[in-house]
Amino acid sequence: SLVRRRIHVEEAWSDIEVQMKRRYDLIPNLVETVKGYAGHEKNVLENVTKARTQAIAATTPREQASAENMLTGTLKTLFAVAENYPDLKANVNFLELQRELSDTENKIQSARRFYNTNVRDYNISIESFPSMIIARMFAFQKKELFDLEDGHPAEEPVKVSF
């Protein structure tokens, strides 16, 4: 049962990675669309690109959570800048990218809950008697939860409606 739980945790993390990759793939298109209308907002666009790169490079749940917090903050800034460009807000591509990003944010939140549930069950198993004896013999290690900072805006999906 310990092996099964560990595999469930790994599978759940994989689900998160799939959704985050989808999110990361949407961001360059979003940046390019905004750049066409707000090219002089170079600093904002560079910050989004930098945050995306750091999020892609994160390897542990803790690093990923930190990178996701930063990326969400830069995306919020990007959407705030977009508010100043009425033509951009009406652009069909931009509206579709907003919808896809919002949908992906919801999927990430759901995958994160599923992962954390699996991690909780796994961690309880390796710390409960009698399975803890087997867990120690075979070096089963606790897994980290994928938690965002308390009260951070990224705990809710990015609001992208205009």
Side-chain angles (χ1 to χ4, degrees), residues 13-36:
W13 182 252
S14 177
D15 290 346
I16 290 174
E17 288 179 326
V18 166
Q19 295 305 324
M20 286 193 284
K21 181 177 181 335
R22 182 173 182 243
R23 181 183 191 211
Y24 303 151
D25 290 347
L26 289 170
I27 291 172
N29 295 331
L30 186 65
V31 167
E32 286 302 314
T33 302
V34 172
K35 192 185 294 184

Side-chain angles (χ1 to χ4, degrees), residues 99-152:
R99 189 196 60 71
E100 286 185 45
L101 186 59
S102 180
D103 180 54
T104 301
E105 294 290 337
N106 290 332
K107 289 178 181 176
I108 290 171
Q109 185 179 29
S110 177
R112 184 171 59 96
R113 281 192 308 267
F114 181 68
Y115 170 79
N116 285 341
T117 298
N118 278 288
V119 167
R120 182 202 63 213
D121 293 347
Y122 170 80
N123 287 344
I124 289 170
S125 291
I126 66 171
E127 293 181 358
S128 299
F129 186 81
S131 59
M132 68 188 288
I133 296 167
I134 301 297
R136 287 182 184 160
M137 286 175 47
F138 292 99
F140 282 80
Q141 301 293 318
K142 283 185 75 172
K143 300 288 186 179
E144 289 180 53
L145 294 171
F146 182 35
D147 284 331
L148 300 175
E149 295 174 6
D150 289 339
H152 191 279

